Amino acid sequence: MIINKVDQNVPYIIKNNFRLLFSKTKNNSYDQNIKQWIKSKKIISLKRGIYIFSSYWEKCQRRDDYLNFLSQVIYYPSYISKETILFKNQMISESVYGISCISMKAPKTFSSEIGIFQYSKIKPSLFLGFEKRSYIENKYYVATKAKALFDYLYFYKRKLVRINEKSIEELRLNFSEMNDHDWIEFESYLKIAKSLKLDKMYKIIRKIYAQ
């Protein structure tokens, strides 16, 4: 199996693709060859059975978009949210490491040479509030600013023993980036969630940071 004969100008490749490309190779040879390619840095493993070519990653000019797209190749369906989107909207000042995603499946974290992909589980009725983006001709989904904030608070509320002005201020979020339209959208998710904790957090936030 000579990997240099394979077209490496593709955003990712799965194990079964190698089987098709090298159909004459014995089944027990695939795992051994893949391990060797990873060791020699010909390919990078994202998770078991999904890989990218190192040459593609090195040449990639749109790495942020590429990573966003890969986040949904690794674990589908999912969308990018929470800290990742809040940071892009200047609502979090500290640097964010990895890509935070929302899924309806079990929580997972995948670590690789190119990044960390974290997935939080949300109930199906709240798996909404995202928009389509694209990397080349490949689509992926990102939360709106309002949904990213909702998702962040939805999961953060579990860590709070008390919900008061102090605990809200300690979030260190820049709520001034939210406009009236964003808050109306946020409220629509509150109605679906029916969470007393989230309702209380929202009332305190609006009280402190009312425009």
Side-chain angles (χ1 to χ4, degrees):
M1 292 171 66
I2 304 175
I3 196 170
N4 292 336
K5 292 183 177 181
V6 178
D7 178 12
Q8 299 185 19
N9 192 34
V10 292
Y12 72 98
I13 188 167
I14 62 175
K15 187 175 180 179
N16 285 340
N17 292 145
F18 286 125
R19 293 185 185 278
L20 294 173
L21 291 167
F22 301 102
S23 57
K24 295 181 180 180
T25 302
K26 294 180 180 179
N27 287 336
N28 58 5
S29 298
Y30 285 104
D31 288 338
Q32 184 178 350
N33 279 282
I34 287 172
K35 288 179 181 178
Q36 180 58 41
W37 292 335
I38 293 172
K39 186 177 180 180
S40 61
K41 301 195 179 296
K42 297 289 186 181
I43 62 174
I44 298 170
S45 176
L46 300 180
K47 63 179 279 189
R48 186 174 181 180
I50 301 180
Y51 313 91
I52 65 170
F53 290 105
S54 298
S55 59
Y56 187 96
W57 172 249
E58 290 165 4
K59 296 175 184 177
C60 183
Q61 299 296 313
R62 296 170 53 192
R63 287 192 172 181
D64 284 347
D65 284 338
Y66 183 37
L67 288 169
N68 290 342
F69 162 66
L70 288 176
S71 74
Q72 286 154 52
V73 171
I74 293 170
Y75 213 50
Y76 180 87
S78 63
Y79 64 90
I80 302 162
S81 187
K82 298 183 1 180
E83 296 94 336
T84 303
I85 301 302
L86 293 179
F87 180 76
K88 290 182 178 179
N89 283 280
Q90 292 80 50
M91 292 190 69
I92 291 179
S93 58
E94 293 85 359
S95 298
V96 174
Y97 298 97
I99 297 179
S100 297
C101 303
I102 302 295
S103 174
M104 293 181 288
K105 300 194 289 186
K108 292 278 187 180
T109 297
F110 300 95
S111 298
S112 70
E113 290 181 30
I114 63 172
I116 300 172
F117 303 86
Q118 298 176 313
Y119 301 82
S120 301
K121 180 182 179 180
I122 206 165
K123 59 185 180 181
S125 62
L126 286 170
F127 191 80
L128 74 171
F130 45 85
E131 303 169 332
K132 183 168 70 174
R133 297 284 188 271
S134 63
Y135 169 70
I136 309 178
E137 295 181 355
N138 303 288
K139 62 184 178 181
Y140 64 90
Y141 297 91
V142 301
T144 62
K145 186 200 311 179
K147 188 51 165 47
L149 176 60
F150 174 87
D151 289 340
Y152 181 83
L153 297 177
Y154 180 87
F155 290 99
Y156 192 84
K157 73 181 189 299
R158 304 172 185 177
K159 303 177 183 179
L160 296 177
V161 177
R162 293 184 179 85
I163 298 174
N164 50 37
E165 290 190 11
K166 182 180 179 183
S167 63
I168 295 300
E169 289 172 347
E170 287 175 348
L171 292 172
R172 299 177 66 185
L173 294 174
N174 183 14
F175 293 105
S176 64
E177 291 295 327
M178 294 279 287
N179 58 37
D180 289 340
H181 177 78
D182 295 326
W183 285 123
I184 291 171
E185 181 186 345
F186 185 94
E187 289 171 2
S188 71
Y189 305 128
L190 287 177
K191 291 176 182 177
I192 298 171
K194 297 179 181 178
S195 166
L196 294 177
K197 273 192 171 183
L198 279 174
D199 289 343
K200 187 175 182 180
M201 292 173 78
Y202 174 66
K203 288 178 182 177
I204 294 172
I205 291 168
R206 294 295 275 159
K207 178 184 175 183
I208 299 174
Y209 301 97
Q211 293 183 352

